[in-house]
Amino acid sequence: MSGDNEETQTTENTPMDEKVQDKVISPEKSEEAKLKARYPNLGNKPGGSDLLRKRLQKGQKYFDSGDYNMAKAKIKNKQLPTAAPEKTEITGDHIPTPQDLPQRKPSLVASKLAG
Amino acid sequence: MGAGGGTSDVQWCFSQVKGAIDDDVAEADIISTVEFNHSGELLATGDKGGRVVIFQQEPESKNQPQCRGEYNVYSTFQSHEPEFDYLKSLEIEEKINKIRWLPQKNAAQFLLSTNDKTIKLWKISERDKRPEGYNLKEEDGRYRDLNTVTTLRVPVFRPMDLMVEASPRRVFANAHTYHVNSISVNSDCETYLSADDLRINLWNLEITDRSFNIVDIKPTNMEELTEVITAVEFHPNQCNTFVYSSSKGTIRLCDMRASALCDKHAKQFEEPEDPNNRSFFSEIISSISDVKFSHSGRYMMTRDYLSVKIWDLNMESRPVETYQVHEYLRSKLCSLYENDCIFDKFECCWNGNDSVVMTGSYNNFFRMFDRGYRQDVTLEASRENSKPRSVLKPRKVSTGGKRKKDEISVDSLDFNKKILHTAWHPLDNIIAVATTNNLYIFQEKLN
């Protein structure tokens, strides 16, 4: 309910219980432990450079404009399998091919909201 | 004048739903922004396909005094097209990130719409007359044989079926290296701000070839990047004041009178964090996805992943009110990080008299918080509750072990059904709620 503004519950612990209690009390910390268990290579600066720089680089990358135009032309004609974007992909290592590209529909169709 | 809007006495009814019924959602149809104009008569939506649809409220009919006018399509146009940046080999999405209306000054309506790189000023005007009876031309445009012209015929305006035309009047391009996330029109109606991840530019609505950079948080060394700009808004009546929010959960208020470059803020709003509670997720969930001034200009509201906070502009140290939107998600952060939902950008809005705030959640739920009555309610936008004028039943998510009847458990929530965009009519209790590809309009039940 809106009245409950606390992020974590207050507890009265003896100091030696605190470390054990920490994981039980804070759901956030236990979620963090879960994540670190699944991805041990995860960096220690979560909100830091890597995440932000990935955000700044958002946007489909192509080798060059010819590549882009060929990709558009091919996509118009047939359905291509959609590839799941890799989270850890570094652009320099990967040259996209038309097979990797998610389908793009031409946007000349009217919006269905106006239907 | 709209009602007080306290959730204790307001009941919400389904009014209309726009969009396709089928579940197979085309990407272009994903709604990306919703905005009422200043009178509430017009409601604009933008989508991922770069299209804008504007609805107009019908005048209230005497036959149905129980409900306010319905919204019907007024105009629709292609605002932005996909582009290719040849220099960087980057595709520029046509998705409309934001629409902002200008206050109406004459018969025409104006709005700003933006994608990641380019802001456009659109003029929407009505034409209900056309000239007929030209002296030298036939009605179909062919020129008359001059030998047959013996008298002077002066064209007159005759009524025609209403035509609504949208035309791009200004294109504000090439001013943003990074992706534009918000725009805000100044109360002076002459200038506006556009913000990308690292910079904020000030424009004059008449001038497209120049913009003034007033905030730049780009570090000299990009390795030192720790924070990005997430939203910007001008104060509703102080034309020198604006705020911008960041991915670290801070809001900075700037006064343009202080200096030309507003890198130094006049005020910084930040809630102190308990270092013991810090986790990997802390900074991500503190990132502010939206900031909105109250209509009064005295408060501002911010939305982060789990909560809505109301700040008094006179107090920087902490918010005056905090509302939990979906606290039960705190114990799901790991999977929400894995499926990227933790990065969803929810917006928020005020009602006309600043007494109630609203924001979206998952499972097509949306939440309203009444500041005065200290009550909140969860409602759902779904086709199942879409009988005309049917009252929306409050929904509840069960967090404990025992799930009551009609409650839904956290694990059953559909995280693909997100309500990121909502809008509240500036004067009345009418709200527009966007699900992935449908627009719902709800109205207050009037007896």
Side-chain angles (χ1 to χ4, degrees), chain A residues 28-29 31 38 49 107 109, chain B residues 51 78 276 330 334 338:
Chain A
E28 220 174 293
K29 287 238 165 93
E31 288 294 298
R38 288 188 204 176
S49 295
S107 50
V109 181
Chain B
R51 300 162 304 190
Q78 186 79 36
N276 291 330
R330 199 179 290 272
C334 180
E338 288 178 302

Side-chain angles (χ1 to χ4, degrees), chain B residues 422-437:
Chain B
T422 59
W424 206 309
H425 190 287
L427 303 166
D428 296 333
N429 276 341
I430 302 173
I431 55 176
V433 174
T435 58
T436 308
N437 63 328

Side-chain angles (χ1 to χ4, degrees), chain B residues 237-446:
Chain B
N237 40 60
Q238 289 168 22
C239 59
N240 52 285
T241 304
F242 67 92
V243 293
Y244 67 95
S245 58
S246 85
S247 54
K248 271 183 148 173
T250 67
I251 309 100
R252 292 178 179 87
L253 183 143
C254 300
D255 186 335
M256 296 197 295
R257 295 169 303 187
S259 70
L261 197 57
C262 296
D263 278 0
K264 283 204 178 69
H265 50 266
K267 293 192 183 185
Q268 177 163 320
F269 300 82
E270 192 169 10
E271 184 162 26
E273 192 191 17
D274 182 359
N276 291 330
N277 286 333
R278 195 166 171 78
S279 76
F280 174 85
F281 303 110
S282 299
E283 196 174 298
I284 301 173
I285 63 172
S286 73
S287 175
I288 292 171
S289 48
D290 195 16
V291 64
K292 292 262 169 53
F293 277 104
S294 64
H295 293 92
S296 64
R298 173 150 178 218
Y299 298 98
M300 66 178 173
M301 162 168 56
T302 57
R303 175 68 156 98
D304 52 70
Y305 190 61
L306 297 178
S307 68
V308 159
K309 294 179 179 169
I310 312 278
W311 304 77
D312 184 322
L313 293 189
N314 297 317
M315 188 165 77
E316 300 164 62
S317 52
R318 56 186 160 78
V320 289
E321 292 152 43
T322 301
Y323 301 105
Q324 302 301 338
V325 181
H326 35 220
E327 179 64 16
Y328 46 79
L329 294 185
R330 199 179 290 272
S331 52
K332 301 283 169 199
L333 291 177
C334 180
S335 39
L336 293 169
Y337 178 85
E338 288 178 302
N339 62 20
D340 271 352
C341 282
I342 204 174
F343 301 105
D344 285 337
K345 296 182 177 55
F346 292 94
E347 292 174 6
C348 53
C349 59
W350 298 83
N351 75 338
N353 62 13
D354 301 334
S355 59
V356 185
V357 296
M358 171 167 67
T359 189
S361 178
Y362 294 104
N363 209 70
N364 283 347
F365 287 172
F366 58 100
R367 305 261 285 136
M368 287 184 187
F369 301 94
D370 188 315
R371 304 172 61 209
Y373 289 103
R374 290 268 150 188
Q375 289 179 346
D376 61 86
V377 69
T378 304
L379 299 172
E380 182 181 3
S382 85
R383 293 266 174 182
E384 274 125 43
N385 309 327
S386 54
K387 265 178 53 186
R389 289 188 293 285
S390 63
V391 175
L392 295 183
K393 213 177 66 163
R395 303 301 314 251
K396 194 142 164 51
V397 176
S398 80
T399 50
K402 286 204 177 129
R403 186 177 71 86
K404 293 192 196 134
K405 186 171 103 94
D406 283 353
E407 284 186 3
I408 181 166
S409 73
V410 182
D411 295 312
S412 310
L413 295 174
D414 188 340
F415 290 94
N416 290 318
K417 292 189 173 161
K418 29 194 123 182
I419 290 179
L420 304 174
H421 312 286
T422 59
W424 206 309
H425 190 287
L427 303 166
D428 296 333
N429 276 341
I430 302 173
I431 55 176
V433 174
T435 58
T436 308
N437 63 328
N438 284 174
L439 182 71
Y440 286 79
I441 298 171
F442 302 106
Q443 293 191 7
E444 177 184 18
K445 182 170 158 67
L446 300 171

Side-chain angles (χ1 to χ4, degrees), chain A residues 2 5 28-29 31-32 38-39 46 49 52 55-56 58 60 62 65 68 87 104 107 109 112, chain B residues 29 51 78 86 89 91 94 179 197 223 276 278-280 282 322 330-331 333-334 338 376:
Chain A
S2 58
N5 290 341
E28 220 174 293
K29 287 238 165 93
E31 288 294 298
E32 179 180 23
R38 288 188 204 176
Y39 306 99
S49 295
L52 291 179
R55 176 195 174 128
L56 296 185
K58 175 195 92 162
Q60 199 88 45
Y62 294 80
S65 62
Y68 168 76
K87 261 203 252 267
R104 279 197 48 86
S107 50
V109 181
K112 295 199 180 112
Chain B
D29 293 325
R51 300 162 304 190
Q78 186 79 36
Y86 290 89
S89 291
E91 182 170 56
E94 67 275 36
H179 297 107
D197 293 309
E223 303 273 319
N276 291 330
R278 195 166 171 78
S279 76
F280 174 85
S282 299
T322 301
R330 199 179 290 272
S331 52
L333 291 177
C334 180
E338 288 178 302
D376 61 86

